[in-house]
Amino acid sequence: MTTELETVAELAVPATAKQRSPAYFAWRRFVANKAAVGGGVILVILILAAIFAPLFTKTDPATQAFLTQSLAFPSAEFWFGVDDLGRDFFTRIVYGARVSLTIGFAAAAFSVVIGIPLGALAGYFGGRTDWVIMRIIELFSVVPSLLAALLLGAITGGGFLTIIVISALFGWVNVCLLVRAQVKALREKEFIRAAQALGASPWYIIRRHLIPNAISPIIVGFVLAIPLAMMLEASLSFLGIGVPPPTPSWGQMINVGMNFMFFYWHMAVFPTAALAITVLATTLFGDGLRDALDPTLKGR
């Protein structure tokens, strides 16, 4: 039976406050970050444009349908102009977004697949296991990713799969460190001690308790791995060992545009701007997500 004092205290607390979860506070912090929201909106627009590119572009990106108007400047007919081979530049920019985002998301997914188990093992077991994994991380940290990517790309000839594998090989490090830190903080909690006392195996504890409770850094690591993969793809394509032509790639288009930039500015400006805006939007979104999911900011 509730006392009169408890009843008054119950009435003093707003009803909505009782229903507020950590997700509510995370959403509120994310929405308050205007840069992150703006980055998220731009990222959604780019993803939708890449998926539905055939619905609002003129031609196939590889079709040389406007040879008589090669190198035409931006106009009402050609929003981003025409390239040197008579292809609509707006179409190629949009399809280039499909290439960059596909590689970015695929490489980030592989980075998470590699980083989660290694980070969980290092954080939970510590000792020799942690030492070995940290030495591997240091090895990948000191090797310049672009130089290693150039070597592997030259050996394999480049292509979609090669770029995704190369990006994942260097992208897993940040995910691993995030998961490791979260697992180290969680392994001393009461519910982990209770599971150990009940005889649960380390693999069960990692799979059922630690990784699900480390989902926030995993999401952040996934999002922040996307722009790194896109920049690596653009760098390799710029150097001629990335996505092979005629498949449109922003790095490849920037490389070609450099030869015309003093006379036909649109050839270099539009792919550069597209890459910069996409990477910036993804980074802002990832940073905002990291701040929103930070448990130390709970309730703010």
Side-chain angles (χ1 to χ4, degrees):
M1 191 171 182
T2 58
T3 65
E4 186 175 333
L5 184 60
E6 289 172 334
T7 304
V8 173
E10 185 82 11
L11 292 172
V13 180
T16 54
K18 304 172 194 175
Q19 302 169 357
R20 288 175 181 172
S21 64
Y24 166 82
F25 292 109
W27 173 252
R28 193 172 71 173
R29 287 192 296 270
F30 181 79
V31 172
N33 188 335
K34 303 304 180 186
V37 173
V41 170
I42 293 172
L43 188 58
V44 169
I45 292 172
L46 287 168
I47 291 172
L48 291 176
I51 293 172
F52 300 107
L55 299 180
F56 55 91
T57 53
K58 291 186 175 186
T59 59
D60 183 90
T63 301
Q64 297 172 279
F66 309 103
L67 280 171
T68 58
Q69 296 160 298
S70 296
L71 296 172
F73 286 102
S75 63
E77 184 181 2
F78 304 107
W79 292 354
F80 288 179
V82 181
D83 73 359
D84 56 318
L85 297 178
R87 298 170 296 192
D88 180 58
F89 216 47
F90 175 74
T91 300
R92 289 185 62 77
I93 292 290
V94 173
Y95 277 88
R98 178 179 287 186
V99 171
S100 291
L101 290 171
T102 299
I103 289 176
F105 276 93
F110 280 109
S111 298
V112 167
V113 169
I114 299 171
I116 288 176
L118 290 178
L121 290 174
Y124 182 77
F125 289 107
R128 188 180 298 274
T129 302
D130 187 33
W131 187 90
V132 171
I133 292 175
M134 288 304 295
R135 299 296 78 78
I136 296 173
I137 288 175
E138 288 175 3
L139 175 64
F140 278 89
S141 298
V142 298
V143 175
S145 58
L146 183 57
L147 291 180
L150 284 172
L151 176 62
L152 293 173
I155 293 172
T156 60
F160 267 84
L161 184 59
T162 300
I163 295 174
I164 291 171
V165 170
I166 292 171
S167 300
L169 282 176
F170 291 93
W172 68 269
V173 171
N174 291 331
V175 178
C176 181
L177 291 173
L178 288 169
V179 174
R180 173 180 175 268
Q182 186 74 358
V183 169
K184 287 188 75 172
L186 288 170
R187 70 180 181 183
E188 303 300 329
K189 298 291 185 181
E190 291 79 3
F191 70 97
I192 299 298
R193 294 295 188 188
Q196 291 170 340
L198 290 171
S201 69
W203 311 110
Y204 180 86
I205 292 173
I206 290 172
R207 188 178 72 254
R208 296 297 298 272
H209 296 295
L210 291 175
I211 291 179
N213 281 283
I215 193 66
S216 296
I218 291 172
I219 293 173
V220 172
F222 174 81
V223 174
L224 292 178
I226 296 172
L228 297 177
M230 288 194 295
M231 285 296 294
L232 186 60
E233 179 276 321
S235 300
L236 292 177
S237 296
F238 178 82
L239 295 171
I241 55 174
V243 178
T247 303
S249 165
W250 289 339
Q252 180 192 110
M253 285 187 274
I254 293 171
N255 183 18
V256 174
M258 294 289 288
N259 300 318
F260 300 92
M261 63 182 298
F262 294 109
F263 304 100
Y264 302 99
W265 56 268
H266 63 284
M267 291 282 290
V269 168
F270 287 120
T272 303
L275 178 62
I277 290 170
T278 305
V279 170
L280 178 61
T282 311
T283 304
L284 289 174
F285 178 73
D287 287 343
L289 203 59
R290 178 183 58 199
D291 294 341
L293 295 174
D294 188 347
T296 62
L297 301 176
K298 182 180 178 181
R300 294 186 188 178

